[in-house]
Amino acid sequence: MKIQGKAVIVTGGGSGLGAETARELARQGAKVAVLDVNAEGAQAVAQEIGGLGLRCDITDSASVEQAIAATREAFGPVRALMNVAGIGGARRVVGKDGSAMPLEDFKRVIDVNLVGTFNAIRLAAAEMAKNEPLEDGERGVIVNTASVAAFDGQVGQEAYAASKGGLVSLTLPLARDLAQHGVRVCTIAPGLFLTPLLHKLPEDVQQSLASSIPFPKRLGKPEEFAQLAAHIVANASLNGEVVRLDGALRLPPR
């Protein structure tokens, strides 16, 4: 799909990988709606790129529906959804004091990362299915964000790894399901990237993390994630695929 002039939604676009993805798509001529639970962040990025900034909670169906409707009204038919919104969290199943991990901690991560992302997918896909077909009968593209933790989950990452593993497992059946509507689905599984969270860590800690990456021996750059996300939109043969973007990193147990 040619990106120029297309309406694209980026969830989690108010910071980090989502913000850089919104910038890259705008640079390539897309009309970008920046969605984030942090309204100020979304609006700041949108103002920077000439897009539309909207507060959106991906776990709330009405919130996502309103964001899709606002995007359509401002920019026309929604052609791509970039699911970058998500949360982290690490906690051992049995704590040092012998207590069990609170079930709510597990549910919260699953609810945002897996259920919330699927909520955005289902609503955007229904919207895209109504679009007029482009070349090859394509009507839309959905790009999800998993993590290498889906494959190499570390100690304490049970909830996070399960949520991202769910997105990995969803990718192929979603692509098969939505093929009849001309909607492609891919997922990116990033490794260690220099996001605002890692920026806050001391330099020596950043270097220690980077040293575990075979090559290039540095933390990933957000623009590299954004470039891959944009390429997936542009390359019509990419469908039903999960792409690790990690410099050949395999996470150790700890």
Side-chain angles (χ1 to χ4, degrees):
M1 180 187 298
K2 294 179 181 178
I3 293 175
Q4 178 73 37
K6 301 300 190 300
V8 179
I9 289 174
V10 180
T11 73
S15 64
L17 300 180
E20 200 59 45
T21 300
R23 293 185 185 104
E24 177 64 20
L25 290 165
R27 187 185 68 77
Q28 295 194 29
K31 296 178 287 187
V32 183
V34 182
L35 277 53
D36 203 290
V37 71
N38 177 356
E40 290 184 1
Q43 290 162 6
V45 174
Q47 184 175 10
E48 174 191 336
I49 65 174
L52 176 68
L54 301 167
R55 185 193 181 281
C56 180
D57 178 355
I58 60 172
T59 67
D60 182 88
S61 293
S63 182
V64 177
E65 288 170 346
Q66 290 165 9
I68 291 173
T71 303
R72 181 180 63 244
E73 183 177 347
F75 298 143
V78 176
R79 292 289 183 177
L81 168 67
M82 319 302 284
N83 280 312
V84 193
I87 60 174
R91 188 159 187 170
R92 289 175 179 262
V93 177
V94 180
K96 291 182 179 179
D97 62 356
S99 63
M101 173 184 178
L103 184 58
E104 285 307 312
D105 287 1
F106 187 88
K107 285 183 175 180
R108 180 175 60 89
V109 177
I110 298 294
D111 192 40
V112 175
N113 293 354
L114 182 55
V115 179
T117 296
F118 182 76
N119 189 37
I121 290 170
R122 71 182 185 90
L123 295 170
E127 182 77 9
M128 292 173 185
K130 303 171 189 174
N131 292 341
E132 288 297 315
L134 303 171
E135 187 178 357
D136 292 329
E138 189 171 25
R139 289 186 171 88
V141 184
I142 296 170
V143 179
N144 302 315
T145 305
S147 165
V148 294
F151 311 98
D152 314 326
Q154 296 180 296
V155 168
Q157 284 191 327
E158 285 84 353
Y160 185 71
S163 70
K164 297 301 187 177
L167 294 178
V168 167
S169 295
L170 268 175
T171 304
L172 183 58
L174 280 172
R176 289 171 165 172
D177 191 341
L178 297 176
Q180 63 184 313
H181 302 294
V183 177
R184 292 187 290 116
V185 183
C186 283
T187 296
I188 301 172
L192 298 174
F193 273 72
L194 194 55
T195 59
L197 180 62
L198 290 187
H199 260 302
K200 295 178 182 177
L201 297 176
E203 183 64 28
D204 61 331
V205 175
Q206 292 184 33
Q207 290 301 320
S208 176
L209 290 171
S211 69
S212 66
I213 302 172
F215 187 84
K217 222 161 191 57
R218 58 167 173 77
L219 298 175
K221 299 176 182 179
E223 55 264 35
E224 293 169 330
F225 176 93
Q227 288 161 7
L228 177 57
H231 179 74
I232 291 172
V233 175
N235 191 327
S237 287
L238 278 168
N239 193 18
E241 188 59 71
V242 178
V243 182
R244 288 185 67 134
L245 188 65
D246 59 15
L249 170 71
R250 296 299 180 267
L251 296 175
R254 291 181 177 81

